Amino acid sequence: MKRLTDNILATLPKVIVLTAMAVIVALGMSAQEPDKRHVTPVKPETNRVQPPPKGTDEKIIQQYISGDSAAAVAEARKDSLRRVYYHYPLLTDIAVGVNLAEPLFMAFGQSYASADVNVTLNMWNRLQPTAEVGLGWAKSSADDLNFTYKGKPSPYFKVGVNYNFLFKNSPDYQVLLGIRLGYSPFTYDITEARYVNSYWQEYLTFDIRGEHSHALWGEAGAGLKVKLSGPWSLGWMIRYHSIFNYGKNEHSRPWFIPGYGPRNSSLGFSLSLYYTLPLHRGSNTDKP
């Protein structure tokens, strides 16, 4: 018993020493932890809030400030798509034009002309309903005619629509495909008509005056419209047209149809000077 007690007393100092050393090591490790945090401090610039890109929508900025970053990122993506594929308002602009093509041709010797005023409503910078109101007249004694044809100044009307293939771009420049439906009631005279009597070998002349007729036709065309300066633009279109029906008289057929041209023709051309009025603020120039 005495020997056991002596062994315990002999071992006790070693246990105390080892325990003390363990406590000292543990305290030293815990004391070093704050020093590690000071070795790599957070740089002040990493906490700095970067300003949003110029032009960022206010709604997106508020979402970032409120902490809703996921919604802000999604909205920013939608905003960027809107900038790439800009959508113009329903009523983009309205243009009033004057067709100058055939009066110019008539000044250089053409024997007929059709001049009109047209109004075009630009919707989404894509679809463009249009209406034309004009006046046509003619006077021709062509070599292939055995009479003189005089088409009295008569009205004509056209309605249709254009499609702008550059709808994602500025309205200042357009590539157009259009269709029209035209109608005209008109009056004409045929004078100095020559008739050969084969039996008597005599030439007879006669006049047919005050003939009334009408015509309904369709057109399909392609053209361009470009900005000149300010609200002024110039547009031209090549048109293929075909008559659906026209009024036939007992003694004559119309040679010229106002707004259409010679009855046997299939091509037409228009050259219009436009004045454009924007219907939505920024619709002409504020494409991002």
Side-chain angles (χ1 to χ4, degrees), residues 154-218:
S154 301
Y156 64 90
F157 313 92
K158 297 181 186 180
V159 293
V161 64
N162 297 329
Y163 183 86
N164 177 24
F165 287 93
L166 298 183
F167 59 88
K168 294 180 181 179
N169 300 284
S170 169
D172 294 342
Y173 303 95
Q174 301 177 10
V175 175
L176 302 170
L177 185 66
I179 57 173
R180 304 283 190 277
L181 181 67
Y183 176 78
S184 176
F186 55 95
T187 304
Y188 61 92
D189 295 336
I190 293 178
T191 61
E192 301 177 2
R194 295 178 294 276
Y195 171 75
V196 179
N197 187 320
S198 59
Y199 182 81
W200 297 105
Q201 296 298 311
E202 294 178 343
Y203 288 87
L204 303 177
T205 61
F206 59 93
D207 298 338
I208 304 175
R209 298 182 182 274
E211 294 283 76
H212 298 280
S213 186
H214 63 271
L216 180 69
W217 68 92

Short mmCIF file of all heavy atoms in Angstrom, two decimals, residues 154-218:
data_model
loop_
_atom_site.label_atom_id
_atom_site.label_comp_id
_atom_site.label_asym_id
_atom_site.label_seq_id
_atom_site.Cartn_x
_atom_site.Cartn_y
_atom_site.Cartn_z
N SER A 154 -59.71 63.77 -114.32
CA SER A 154 -60.65 62.95 -113.56
C SER A 154 -59.96 62.42 -112.30
O SER A 154 -58.75 62.19 -112.28
CB SER A 154 -61.15 61.76 -114.41
OG SER A 154 -61.78 62.21 -115.58
N PRO A 155 -60.74 62.20 -111.24
CA PRO A 155 -60.13 61.77 -109.97
C PRO A 155 -59.84 60.27 -109.95
O PRO A 155 -60.41 59.48 -110.72
CB PRO A 155 -61.21 62.13 -108.94
CG PRO A 155 -62.49 61.98 -109.71
CD PRO A 155 -62.19 62.43 -111.11
N TYR A 156 -58.98 59.90 -109.04
CA TYR A 156 -58.76 58.48 -108.74
C TYR A 156 -58.41 58.35 -107.26
O TYR A 156 -57.96 59.30 -106.61
CB TYR A 156 -57.67 57.86 -109.62
CG TYR A 156 -56.29 58.43 -109.44
CD1 TYR A 156 -55.40 57.89 -108.50
CD2 TYR A 156 -55.85 59.48 -110.22
CE1 TYR A 156 -54.13 58.40 -108.35
CE2 TYR A 156 -54.58 60.00 -110.09
CZ TYR A 156 -53.72 59.46 -109.14
OH TYR A 156 -52.45 59.97 -108.99
N PHE A 157 -58.62 57.14 -106.74
CA PHE A 157 -58.44 56.87 -105.31
C PHE A 157 -57.72 55.53 -105.15
O PHE A 157 -58.00 54.57 -105.88
CB PHE A 157 -59.79 56.82 -104.59
CG PHE A 157 -60.70 57.96 -104.94
CD1 PHE A 157 -61.62 57.84 -105.98
CD2 PHE A 157 -60.64 59.15 -104.23
CE1 PHE A 157 -62.46 58.89 -106.31
CE2 PHE A 157 -61.48 60.21 -104.56
CZ PHE A 157 -62.39 60.08 -105.59
N LYS A 158 -56.82 55.48 -104.18
CA LYS A 158 -56.12 54.23 -103.88
C LYS A 158 -56.02 54.06 -102.37
O LYS A 158 -55.80 55.03 -101.64
CB LYS A 158 -54.70 54.22 -104.47
CG LYS A 158 -54.62 54.30 -105.98
CD LYS A 158 -53.16 54.25 -106.43
CE LYS A 158 -53.04 54.47 -107.93
NZ LYS A 158 -51.62 54.41 -108.38
N VAL A 159 -56.19 52.83 -101.92
CA VAL A 159 -55.95 52.49 -100.51
C VAL A 159 -55.08 51.24 -100.49
O VAL A 159 -55.14 50.40 -101.39
CB VAL A 159 -57.27 52.24 -99.74
CG1 VAL A 159 -58.07 53.52 -99.61
CG2 VAL A 159 -58.10 51.15 -100.42
N GLY A 160 -54.25 51.14 -99.46
CA GLY A 160 -53.38 49.97 -99.37
C GLY A 160 -52.54 50.02 -98.12
O GLY A 160 -52.83 50.73 -97.15
N VAL A 161 -51.46 49.25 -98.13
CA VAL A 161 -50.58 49.15 -96.97
C VAL A 161 -49.17 48.84 -97.44
O VAL A 161 -48.97 48.12 -98.43
CB VAL A 161 -51.09 48.08 -95.98
CG1 VAL A 161 -51.07 46.68 -96.61
CG2 VAL A 161 -50.31 48.10 -94.68
N ASN A 162 -48.19 49.40 -96.74
CA ASN A 162 -46.79 49.08 -96.95
C ASN A 162 -46.27 48.25 -95.78
O ASN A 162 -46.76 48.37 -94.65
CB ASN A 162 -45.93 50.35 -97.06
CG ASN A 162 -46.31 51.20 -98.26
OD1 ASN A 162 -46.75 50.68 -99.28
ND2 ASN A 162 -46.12 52.50 -98.13
N TYR A 163 -45.23 47.47 -96.05
CA TYR A 163 -44.50 46.75 -94.99
C TYR A 163 -43.05 47.19 -95.03
O TYR A 163 -42.40 47.10 -96.08
CB TYR A 163 -44.61 45.24 -95.16
CG TYR A 163 -43.95 44.46 -94.04
CD1 TYR A 163 -44.65 44.18 -92.88
CD2 TYR A 163 -42.62 44.04 -94.14
CE1 TYR A 163 -44.05 43.48 -91.84
CE2 TYR A 163 -42.02 43.34 -93.11
CZ TYR A 163 -42.74 43.07 -91.95
OH TYR A 163 -42.14 42.38 -90.92
N ASN A 164 -42.55 47.69 -93.90
CA ASN A 164 -41.17 48.18 -93.81
C ASN A 164 -40.26 47.07 -93.28
O ASN A 164 -40.39 46.66 -92.14
CB ASN A 164 -41.11 49.41 -92.90
CG ASN A 164 -39.70 49.91 -92.70
OD1 ASN A 164 -38.82 49.67 -93.53
ND2 ASN A 164 -39.48 50.60 -91.61
N PHE A 165 -39.33 46.61 -94.11
CA PHE A 165 -38.43 45.53 -93.70
C PHE A 165 -37.34 46.02 -92.74
O PHE A 165 -36.70 45.20 -92.08
CB PHE A 165 -37.79 44.89 -94.93
CG PHE A 165 -38.74 44.03 -95.71
CD1 PHE A 165 -39.46 44.54 -96.78
CD2 PHE A 165 -38.93 42.70 -95.37
CE1 PHE A 165 -40.34 43.76 -97.50
CE2 PHE A 165 -39.82 41.90 -96.08
CZ PHE A 165 -40.52 42.42 -97.15
N LEU A 166 -37.14 47.32 -92.63
CA LEU A 166 -36.15 47.86 -91.70
C LEU A 166 -36.83 48.38 -90.44
O LEU A 166 -36.47 49.43 -89.91
CB LEU A 166 -35.35 48.99 -92.38
CG LEU A 166 -34.54 48.59 -93.61
CD1 LEU A 166 -33.75 49.78 -94.14
CD2 LEU A 166 -33.61 47.42 -93.31
N PHE A 167 -37.81 47.64 -89.93
CA PHE A 167 -38.60 48.11 -88.80
C PHE A 167 -37.79 48.17 -87.50
O PHE A 167 -38.19 48.82 -86.55
CB PHE A 167 -39.83 47.23 -88.59
CG PHE A 167 -39.53 45.78 -88.35
CD1 PHE A 167 -39.29 45.30 -87.08
CD2 PHE A 167 -39.48 44.88 -89.41
CE1 PHE A 167 -39.01 43.96 -86.85
CE2 PHE A 167 -39.21 43.54 -89.20
CZ PHE A 167 -38.98 43.08 -87.92
N LYS A 168 -36.64 47.49 -87.43
CA LYS A 168 -35.81 47.54 -86.23
C LYS A 168 -34.86 48.73 -86.24
O LYS A 168 -34.13 48.96 -85.27
CB LYS A 168 -34.99 46.25 -86.10
CG LYS A 168 -35.84 45.01 -85.84
CD LYS A 168 -34.96 43.78 -85.72
CE LYS A 168 -35.80 42.53 -85.49
NZ LYS A 168 -34.96 41.31 -85.40
N ASN A 169 -34.84 49.47 -87.35
CA ASN A 169 -33.94 50.59 -87.49
C ASN A 169 -34.70 51.91 -87.47
O ASN A 169 -35.91 51.94 -87.26
CB ASN A 169 -33.14 50.44 -88.79
CG ASN A 169 -32.33 49.17 -88.81
OD1 ASN A 169 -31.30 49.07 -88.16
ND2 ASN A 169 -32.80 48.17 -89.55
N SER A 170 -33.99 52.98 -87.71
CA SER A 170 -34.61 54.30 -87.69
C SER A 170 -35.62 54.44 -88.82
O SER A 170 -35.40 53.94 -89.94
CB SER A 170 -33.53 55.37 -87.85
OG SER A 170 -34.10 56.64 -88.09
N PRO A 171 -36.75 55.13 -88.59
CA PRO A 171 -37.72 55.37 -89.67
C PRO A 171 -37.18 56.25 -90.79
O PRO A 171 -37.83 56.40 -91.81
CB PRO A 171 -38.89 56.06 -88.94
CG PRO A 171 -38.71 55.75 -87.50
CD PRO A 171 -37.23 55.63 -87.29
N ASP A 172 -35.99 56.82 -90.57
CA ASP A 172 -35.42 57.69 -91.61
C ASP A 172 -35.09 56.93 -92.89
O ASP A 172 -35.03 57.53 -93.96
CB ASP A 172 -34.14 58.36 -91.09
CG ASP A 172 -34.42 59.32 -89.94
OD1 ASP A 172 -35.59 59.72 -89.79
OD2 ASP A 172 -33.48 59.65 -89.20
N TYR A 173 -34.88 55.61 -92.78
CA TYR A 173 -34.53 54.81 -93.95
C TYR A 173 -35.39 53.54 -93.95
O TYR A 173 -35.40 52.80 -92.98
CB TYR A 173 -33.04 54.44 -93.93
CG TYR A 173 -32.16 55.67 -93.87
CD1 TYR A 173 -31.69 56.16 -92.64
CD2 TYR A 173 -31.84 56.37 -95.03
CE1 TYR A 173 -30.91 57.30 -92.58
CE2 TYR A 173 -31.06 57.51 -94.97
CZ TYR A 173 -30.60 57.98 -93.75
OH TYR A 173 -29.84 59.11 -93.70
N GLN A 174 -36.11 53.33 -95.06
CA GLN A 174 -37.07 52.24 -95.12
C GLN A 174 -36.95 51.49 -96.45
O GLN A 174 -36.71 52.09 -97.50
CB GLN A 174 -38.50 52.79 -94.98
CG GLN A 174 -38.74 53.55 -93.68
CD GLN A 174 -40.12 54.14 -93.59
OE1 GLN A 174 -40.99 53.83 -94.40
NE2 GLN A 174 -40.36 54.99 -92.60
N VAL A 175 -37.12 50.19 -96.37
CA VAL A 175 -37.25 49.33 -97.55
C VAL A 175 -38.67 48.78 -97.52
O VAL A 175 -39.05 48.09 -96.56
CB VAL A 175 -36.22 48.18 -97.54
CG1 VAL A 175 -36.46 47.24 -98.72
CG2 VAL A 175 -34.80 48.75 -97.59
N LEU A 176 -39.45 49.08 -98.56
CA LEU A 176 -40.89 48.87 -98.50
C LEU A 176 -41.38 47.87 -99.55
O LEU A 176 -40.85 47.80 -100.67
CB LEU A 176 -41.62 50.20 -98.72
CG LEU A 176 -41.29 51.33 -97.74
CD1 LEU A 176 -41.89 52.63 -98.22
CD2 LEU A 176 -41.77 50.99 -96.34
N LEU A 177 -42.39 47.12 -99.16
CA LEU A 177 -43.18 46.29 -100.08
C LEU A 177 -44.63 46.67 -99.85
O LEU A 177 -45.10 46.70 -98.70
CB LEU A 177 -42.96 44.81 -99.80
CG LEU A 177 -43.64 43.82 -100.76
CD1 LEU A 177 -43.01 43.95 -102.15
CD2 LEU A 177 -43.50 42.40 -100.26
N GLY A 178 -45.36 47.01 -100.91
CA GLY A 178 -46.71 47.52 -100.73
C GLY A 178 -47.72 46.96 -101.70
O GLY A 178 -47.37 46.45 -102.76
N ILE A 179 -48.99 47.04 -101.33
CA ILE A 179 -50.10 46.66 -102.20
C ILE A 179 -51.12 47.79 -102.18
O ILE A 179 -51.23 48.53 -101.20
CB ILE A 179 -50.76 45.33 -101.76
CG1 ILE A 179 -51.25 45.41 -100.31
CG2 ILE A 179 -49.81 44.16 -101.95
CD1 ILE A 179 -52.05 44.20 -99.87
N ARG A 180 -51.86 47.93 -103.30
CA ARG A 180 -52.86 48.99 -103.43
C ARG A 180 -54.08 48.44 -104.16
O ARG A 180 -53.99 47.54 -105.00
CB ARG A 180 -52.31 50.17 -104.24
CG ARG A 180 -51.04 50.80 -103.72
CD ARG A 180 -51.30 51.69 -102.53
NE ARG A 180 -50.09 52.44 -102.21
CZ ARG A 180 -49.08 51.96 -101.47
NH1 ARG A 180 -49.16 50.72 -100.98
NH2 ARG A 180 -48.02 52.71 -101.21
N LEU A 181 -55.22 49.05 -103.85
CA LEU A 181 -56.45 48.85 -104.60
C LEU A 181 -56.87 50.22 -105.11
O LEU A 181 -57.02 51.16 -104.34
CB LEU A 181 -57.55 48.25 -103.73
CG LEU A 181 -58.89 47.97 -104.42
CD1 LEU A 181 -58.73 46.86 -105.46
CD2 LEU A 181 -59.96 47.59 -103.40
N GLY A 182 -57.02 50.34 -106.46
CA GLY A 182 -57.32 51.63 -107.06
C GLY A 182 -58.66 51.66 -107.78
O GLY A 182 -59.12 50.63 -108.30
N TYR A 183 -59.25 52.84 -107.82
CA TYR A 183 -60.53 53.02 -108.52
C TYR A 183 -60.58 54.42 -109.10
O TYR A 183 -60.11 55.39 -108.48
CB TYR A 183 -61.71 52.81 -107.57
CG TYR A 183 -63.05 53.09 -108.22
CD1 TYR A 183 -63.63 52.15 -109.07
CD2 TYR A 183 -63.71 54.30 -108.01
CE1 TYR A 183 -64.86 52.41 -109.68
CE2 TYR A 183 -64.93 54.56 -108.61
CZ TYR A 183 -65.50 53.61 -109.45
OH TYR A 183 -66.70 53.88 -110.06
N SER A 184 -61.17 54.54 -110.30
CA SER A 184 -61.32 55.85 -110.92
C SER A 184 -62.56 55.89 -111.79
O SER A 184 -62.77 55.02 -112.64
CB SER A 184 -60.10 56.17 -111.78
OG SER A 184 -60.27 57.40 -112.47
N PRO A 185 -63.41 56.90 -111.60
CA PRO A 185 -64.47 57.22 -112.57
C PRO A 185 -63.94 58.34 -113.48
O PRO A 185 -63.43 59.34 -112.98
CB PRO A 185 -65.62 57.69 -111.69
CG PRO A 185 -64.95 58.30 -110.50
CD PRO A 185 -63.60 57.64 -110.33
N PHE A 186 -64.07 58.21 -114.77
CA PHE A 186 -63.45 59.20 -115.64
C PHE A 186 -64.25 59.40 -116.93
O PHE A 186 -65.14 58.61 -117.27
CB PHE A 186 -62.01 58.80 -115.98
CG PHE A 186 -61.87 57.42 -116.58
CD1 PHE A 186 -61.83 57.24 -117.96
CD2 PHE A 186 -61.78 56.30 -115.77
CE1 PHE A 186 -61.71 55.99 -118.51
CE2 PHE A 186 -61.66 55.03 -116.31
CZ PHE A 186 -61.62 54.87 -117.70
N THR A 187 -63.90 60.46 -117.63
CA THR A 187 -64.56 60.84 -118.89
C THR A 187 -63.49 61.10 -119.94
O THR A 187 -62.42 61.64 -119.62
CB THR A 187 -65.41 62.10 -118.69
OG1 THR A 187 -66.34 61.88 -117.63
CG2 THR A 187 -66.17 62.45 -119.96
N TYR A 188 -63.79 60.75 -121.19
CA TYR A 188 -62.81 60.96 -122.25
C TYR A 188 -63.51 61.27 -123.57
O TYR A 188 -64.70 60.97 -123.77
CB TYR A 188 -61.90 59.72 -122.40
CG TYR A 188 -62.62 58.46 -122.79
CD1 TYR A 188 -62.77 58.09 -124.13
CD2 TYR A 188 -63.15 57.62 -121.81
CE1 TYR A 188 -63.42 56.93 -124.47
CE2 TYR A 188 -63.80 56.45 -122.14
CZ TYR A 188 -63.94 56.10 -123.49
OH TYR A 188 -64.60 54.95 -123.84
N ASP A 189 -62.73 61.86 -124.48
CA ASP A 189 -63.18 62.15 -125.84
C ASP A 189 -62.27 61.44 -126.83
O ASP A 189 -61.06 61.30 -126.59
CB ASP A 189 -63.14 63.65 -126.16
CG ASP A 189 -64.12 64.45 -125.31
OD1 ASP A 189 -65.10 63.86 -124.83
OD2 ASP A 189 -63.86 65.66 -125.11
N ILE A 190 -62.87 60.99 -127.92
CA ILE A 190 -62.10 60.46 -129.06
C ILE A 190 -62.43 61.33 -130.27
O ILE A 190 -63.60 61.44 -130.66
CB ILE A 190 -62.44 58.99 -129.33
CG1 ILE A 190 -61.96 58.12 -128.16
CG2 ILE A 190 -61.82 58.52 -130.63
CD1 ILE A 190 -62.30 56.65 -128.31
N THR A 191 -61.42 61.96 -130.81
CA THR A 191 -61.63 62.86 -131.95
C THR A 191 -60.73 62.46 -133.12
O THR A 191 -59.72 61.76 -132.94
CB THR A 191 -61.34 64.32 -131.55
OG1 THR A 191 -59.98 64.43 -131.14
CG2 THR A 191 -62.24 64.77 -130.42
N GLU A 192 -61.14 62.90 -134.30
CA GLU A 192 -60.37 62.65 -135.52
C GLU A 192 -60.13 61.16 -135.75
O GLU A 192 -59.08 60.74 -136.24
CB GLU A 192 -59.05 63.40 -135.48
CG GLU A 192 -59.20 64.91 -135.34
CD GLU A 192 -57.87 65.61 -135.23
OE1 GLU A 192 -56.82 64.93 -135.31
OE2 GLU A 192 -57.86 66.84 -135.06
N ALA A 193 -61.13 60.37 -135.36
CA ALA A 193 -61.01 58.94 -135.63
C ALA A 193 -61.15 58.71 -137.13
O ALA A 193 -62.06 59.22 -137.77
CB ALA A 193 -62.10 58.19 -134.86
N ARG A 194 -60.26 57.91 -137.68
CA ARG A 194 -60.22 57.70 -139.14
C ARG A 194 -60.74 56.30 -139.46
O ARG A 194 -60.32 55.30 -138.87
CB ARG A 194 -58.80 57.88 -139.66
CG ARG A 194 -58.28 59.30 -139.48
CD ARG A 194 -56.85 59.44 -139.97
NE ARG A 194 -55.90 58.67 -139.15
CZ ARG A 194 -55.38 59.12 -138.01
NH1 ARG A 194 -55.74 60.32 -137.55
NH2 ARG A 194 -54.53 58.40 -137.35
N TYR A 195 -61.62 56.28 -140.46
CA TYR A 195 -62.20 55.02 -140.92
C TYR A 195 -62.04 54.93 -142.43
O TYR A 195 -62.32 55.89 -143.16
CB TYR A 195 -63.69 54.94 -140.55
CG TYR A 195 -64.41 53.78 -141.18
CD1 TYR A 195 -64.23 52.49 -140.70
CD2 TYR A 195 -65.29 53.99 -142.24
CE1 TYR A 195 -64.89 51.42 -141.28
CE2 TYR A 195 -65.96 52.92 -142.82
CZ TYR A 195 -65.75 51.65 -142.35
OH TYR A 195 -66.40 50.59 -142.92
N VAL A 196 -61.56 53.81 -142.90
CA VAL A 196 -61.31 53.62 -144.33
C VAL A 196 -62.44 52.79 -144.93
O VAL A 196 -62.70 51.66 -144.48
CB VAL A 196 -59.96 52.94 -144.58
CG1 VAL A 196 -59.73 52.74 -146.08
CG2 VAL A 196 -58.82 53.74 -143.98
N ASN A 197 -63.13 53.36 -145.91
CA ASN A 197 -64.15 52.62 -146.66
C ASN A 197 -63.44 51.86 -147.77
O ASN A 197 -62.99 52.45 -148.77
CB ASN A 197 -65.18 53.60 -147.24
CG ASN A 197 -66.35 52.88 -147.88
OD1 ASN A 197 -66.19 51.86 -148.54
ND2 ASN A 197 -67.55 53.43 -147.69
N SER A 198 -63.30 50.56 -147.60
CA SER A 198 -62.53 49.76 -148.56
C SER A 198 -63.20 49.69 -149.93
O SER A 198 -62.52 49.52 -150.95
CB SER A 198 -62.34 48.34 -148.00
OG SER A 198 -63.60 47.72 -147.78
N TYR A 199 -64.51 49.84 -149.97
CA TYR A 199 -65.20 49.77 -151.26
C TYR A 199 -64.98 51.05 -152.06
O TYR A 199 -64.64 51.02 -153.24
CB TYR A 199 -66.69 49.52 -151.04
CG TYR A 199 -67.46 49.39 -152.33
CD1 TYR A 199 -67.45 48.18 -153.03
CD2 TYR A 199 -68.21 50.46 -152.83
CE1 TYR A 199 -68.15 48.07 -154.22
CE2 TYR A 199 -68.91 50.35 -154.01
CZ TYR A 199 -68.88 49.15 -154.71
OH TYR A 199 -69.57 49.04 -155.90
N TRP A 200 -65.20 52.18 -151.41
CA TRP A 200 -65.08 53.46 -152.10
C TRP A 200 -63.68 54.06 -151.97
O TRP A 200 -63.39 55.08 -152.59
CB TRP A 200 -66.09 54.46 -151.53
CG TRP A 200 -67.51 54.05 -151.76
CD1 TRP A 200 -68.38 53.54 -150.84
CD2 TRP A 200 -68.22 54.10 -152.99
NE1 TRP A 200 -69.59 53.26 -151.41
CE2 TRP A 200 -69.53 53.62 -152.75
CE3 TRP A 200 -67.89 54.52 -154.31
CZ2 TRP A 200 -70.50 53.52 -153.75
CZ3 TRP A 200 -68.86 54.43 -155.30
CH2 TRP A 200 -70.14 53.94 -155.02
N GLN A 201 -62.82 53.38 -151.14
CA GLN A 201 -61.46 53.88 -150.92
C GLN A 201 -61.47 55.32 -150.43
O GLN A 201 -60.74 56.18 -150.92
CB GLN A 201 -60.64 53.76 -152.21
CG GLN A 201 -60.40 52.35 -152.68
CD GLN A 201 -59.60 51.52 -151.67
OE1 GLN A 201 -58.57 51.96 -151.18
NE2 GLN A 201 -60.09 50.34 -151.37
N GLU A 202 -62.34 55.55 -149.46
CA GLU A 202 -62.46 56.87 -148.89
C GLU A 202 -62.10 56.82 -147.39
O GLU A 202 -62.35 55.82 -146.72
CB GLU A 202 -63.89 57.40 -149.04
CG GLU A 202 -64.29 57.66 -150.49
CD GLU A 202 -65.72 58.15 -150.60
OE1 GLU A 202 -66.47 57.96 -149.61
OE2 GLU A 202 -66.07 58.68 -151.65
N TYR A 203 -61.53 57.91 -146.90
CA TYR A 203 -61.22 58.07 -145.48
C TYR A 203 -62.31 58.91 -144.83
O TYR A 203 -62.59 60.02 -145.27
CB TYR A 203 -59.86 58.74 -145.28
CG TYR A 203 -58.68 57.86 -145.61
CD1 TYR A 203 -58.19 57.80 -146.91
CD2 TYR A 203 -58.07 57.09 -144.63
CE1 TYR A 203 -57.11 57.00 -147.23
CE2 TYR A 203 -56.99 56.28 -144.93
CZ TYR A 203 -56.51 56.24 -146.24
OH TYR A 203 -55.45 55.43 -146.54
N LEU A 204 -62.91 58.35 -143.81
CA LEU A 204 -63.94 59.07 -143.08
C LEU A 204 -63.41 59.39 -141.67
O LEU A 204 -62.70 58.58 -141.07
CB LEU A 204 -65.21 58.23 -142.97
CG LEU A 204 -65.83 57.76 -144.30
CD1 LEU A 204 -67.05 56.87 -144.02
CD2 LEU A 204 -66.24 58.96 -145.16
N THR A 205 -63.72 60.53 -141.16
CA THR A 205 -63.34 60.91 -139.79
C THR A 205 -64.60 61.21 -138.98
O THR A 205 -65.60 61.69 -139.53
CB THR A 205 -62.42 62.14 -139.79
OG1 THR A 205 -63.12 63.23 -140.37
CG2 THR A 205 -61.15 61.88 -140.58
N PHE A 206 -64.52 60.92 -137.71
CA PHE A 206 -65.67 61.18 -136.83
C PHE A 206 -65.14 61.39 -135.41
O PHE A 206 -63.99 61.03 -135.08
CB PHE A 206 -66.68 60.03 -136.88
CG PHE A 206 -66.11 58.70 -136.47
CD1 PHE A 206 -66.21 58.26 -135.16
CD2 PHE A 206 -65.49 57.89 -137.42
CE1 PHE A 206 -65.68 57.03 -134.78
CE2 PHE A 206 -64.96 56.66 -137.04
CZ PHE A 206 -65.05 56.22 -135.73
N ASP A 207 -66.00 61.93 -134.56
CA ASP A 207 -65.66 62.19 -133.15
C ASP A 207 -66.64 61.47 -132.24
O ASP A 207 -67.82 61.32 -132.57
CB ASP A 207 -65.72 63.69 -132.84
CG ASP A 207 -64.71 64.49 -133.66
OD1 ASP A 207 -63.72 63.89 -134.12
OD2 ASP A 207 -64.93 65.71 -133.83
N ILE A 208 -66.12 61.04 -131.09
CA ILE A 208 -66.95 60.47 -130.02
C ILE A 208 -66.61 61.24 -128.75
O ILE A 208 -65.48 61.16 -128.26
CB ILE A 208 -66.70 58.96 -129.82
CG1 ILE A 208 -66.92 58.19 -131.11
CG2 ILE A 208 -67.58 58.42 -128.71
CD1 ILE A 208 -66.56 56.72 -131.01
N ARG A 209 -67.55 61.96 -128.25
CA ARG A 209 -67.27 62.85 -127.12
C ARG A 209 -68.09 62.47 -125.89
O ARG A 209 -69.18 61.91 -126.00
CB ARG A 209 -67.55 64.30 -127.50
CG ARG A 209 -66.69 64.82 -128.65
CD ARG A 209 -66.99 66.28 -128.96
NE ARG A 209 -66.20 66.76 -130.08
CZ ARG A 209 -64.97 67.26 -129.98
NH1 ARG A 209 -64.40 67.32 -128.79
NH2 ARG A 209 -64.32 67.68 -131.06
N GLY A 210 -67.51 62.81 -124.75
CA GLY A 210 -68.23 62.65 -123.49
C GLY A 210 -68.46 61.21 -123.09
O GLY A 210 -69.47 60.90 -122.44
N GLU A 211 -67.52 60.31 -123.40
CA GLU A 211 -67.66 58.91 -122.99
C GLU A 211 -67.32 58.77 -121.49
O GLU A 211 -66.28 59.28 -121.02
CB GLU A 211 -66.72 58.02 -123.80
CG GLU A 211 -67.08 57.96 -125.29
CD GLU A 211 -68.27 57.07 -125.56
OE1 GLU A 211 -69.42 57.48 -125.28
OE2 GLU A 211 -68.05 55.94 -126.04
N HIS A 212 -68.19 58.07 -120.78
CA HIS A 212 -67.98 57.84 -119.34
C HIS A 212 -67.55 56.40 -119.10
O HIS A 212 -68.06 55.47 -119.74
CB HIS A 212 -69.27 58.13 -118.56
CG HIS A 212 -69.73 59.54 -118.67
ND1 HIS A 212 -69.18 60.57 -117.93
CD2 HIS A 212 -70.70 60.11 -119.45
CE1 HIS A 212 -69.78 61.70 -118.24
NE2 HIS A 212 -70.71 61.46 -119.16
N SER A 213 -66.63 56.23 -118.17
CA SER A 213 -66.17 54.88 -117.84
C SER A 213 -65.67 54.86 -116.39
O SER A 213 -65.68 55.88 -115.69
CB SER A 213 -65.06 54.44 -118.80
OG SER A 213 -64.70 53.10 -118.56
N HIS A 214 -65.23 53.70 -115.97
CA HIS A 214 -64.66 53.53 -114.63
C HIS A 214 -63.72 52.33 -114.68
O HIS A 214 -63.80 51.51 -115.60
CB HIS A 214 -65.75 53.32 -113.58
CG HIS A 214 -66.53 52.06 -113.81
ND1 HIS A 214 -67.66 52.03 -114.62
CD2 HIS A 214 -66.35 50.79 -113.38
CE1 HIS A 214 -68.13 50.79 -114.65
NE2 HIS A 214 -67.35 50.03 -113.91
N ALA A 215 -62.85 52.23 -113.69
CA ALA A 215 -61.92 51.10 -113.65
C ALA A 215 -61.56 50.76 -112.21
O ALA A 215 -61.47 51.64 -111.35
CB ALA A 215 -60.66 51.42 -114.45
N LEU A 216 -61.37 49.47 -111.96
CA LEU A 216 -60.92 48.97 -110.67
C LEU A 216 -59.69 48.11 -110.92
O LEU A 216 -59.70 47.23 -111.77
CB LEU A 216 -62.02 48.13 -110.00
CG LEU A 216 -61.69 47.52 -108.64
CD1 LEU A 216 -61.59 48.62 -107.57
CD2 LEU A 216 -62.76 46.49 -108.24
N TRP A 217 -58.61 48.36 -110.17
CA TRP A 217 -57.37 47.61 -110.41
C TRP A 217 -56.60 47.38 -109.10
O TRP A 217 -56.91 47.97 -108.06
CB TRP A 217 -56.49 48.36 -111.39
CG TRP A 217 -55.89 49.65 -110.89
CD1 TRP A 217 -54.68 49.84 -110.28
CD2 TRP A 217 -56.50 50.95 -110.94
NE1 TRP A 217 -54.50 51.15 -109.96
CE2 TRP A 217 -55.58 51.86 -110.35
CE3 TRP A 217 -57.72 51.44 -111.43
CZ2 TRP A 217 -55.86 53.22 -110.24
CZ3 TRP A 217 -57.99 52.79 -111.31
CH2 TRP A 217 -57.08 53.67 -110.73
N GLY A 218 -55.60 46.54 -109.17
CA GLY A 218 -54.74 46.25 -108.02
C GLY A 218 -53.28 46.50 -108.37
O GLY A 218 -52.89 46.41 -109.54
#
